[in-house]
Amino acid sequence: MTEIFDAESQIIGGLILFPEECAVALESLTKSSFESHYAADAFQQILDAHKDGKAFDAAIFISSITSLEVREYVLQAAKTFLTTANYDGYIESVKTGAGRRRVTKQIQDIAFNGKTVQKKGESVGTVVTDEQGYVSSTYTEYETDGTQG
């Protein structure tokens, strides 16, 4: 389990066990903040439950989750939840991970100009160092059917 997935699990566990103390996550994060699709789905369902303004009951909420995988994820997150003491750190970790994913995607979009440049079984480009040790790279653009290989 990665550090980001662990932080995501701690956020979900905190929201289930200590909804009042951990409500700051509902204001700070969005579904897209989460790398794990189970955590993202659980977060959205918890957020929706809190938006209704009703008192939050963990047992009723967990039993209302229709996806068995998400329900098991939420139960495991609740079982492994450690403490609210580091909760702000978990939120920051998830925010940082989401930011990295966004930036990486933007860089990929810019670098490849939105075009598919991979072709299965062929080299995409080369990396070359010059006399001073500086690296430059080239890539070859292929006509494809729009799939990445």
Side-chain angles (χ1 to χ4, degrees):
M1 182 178 285
T2 67
E3 179 182 326
I4 298 299
F5 275 26
D6 187 47
E8 291 178 354
S9 174
Q10 290 297 303
I11 287 172
I12 299 302
L15 287 169
I16 293 296
L17 298 174
F18 303 99
E20 293 82 23
E21 289 181 57
C22 299
V24 66
L26 299 173
E27 300 163 6
S28 304
L29 302 171
T30 65
K31 180 178 181 177
S32 65
S33 300
F34 293 85
E35 186 173 0
S36 160
H37 65 277
Y38 296 134
D41 289 348
F43 180 82
Q44 187 62 53
Q45 290 180 43
I46 293 167
L47 181 62
D48 293 344
H50 281 273
K51 283 182 180 177
D52 290 341
K54 298 176 185 171
F56 186 79
D57 182 294
I60 292 172
F61 171 76
I62 291 171
S63 67
S64 73
I65 299 173
T66 56
S67 165
L68 181 59
E69 293 87 2
V70 174
R71 186 180 312 144
E72 288 176 5
Y73 177 87
V74 169
L75 287 169
Q76 187 62 29
K79 284 180 191 174
T80 59
F81 182 75
L82 299 173
T83 176
T84 59
N86 299 325
Y87 205 72
D88 290 339
Y90 299 136
I91 291 171
E92 286 307 311
S93 181
V94 170
K95 280 183 179 178
T96 300
R100 283 190 196 124
R101 288 191 305 280
R102 269 192 308 278
V103 169
T104 300
K105 182 177 179 344
Q106 289 173 346
I107 289 171
Q108 289 171 340
D109 289 347
I110 292 167
F112 299 121
N113 199 20
K115 297 178 182 175
T116 301
V117 295
Q118 295 175 330
K119 188 172 182 179
K120 187 174 182 176
E122 296 202 25
S123 172
V124 172
T126 57
V127 175
V128 180
T129 54
D130 63 13
E131 302 83 40
Q132 288 93 16
Y134 294 109
V135 175
S136 63
S137 64
T138 61
Y139 72 92
T140 306
E141 190 169 319
Y142 297 97
E143 292 294 324
T144 71
D145 63 357
T147 60
Q148 291 185 340

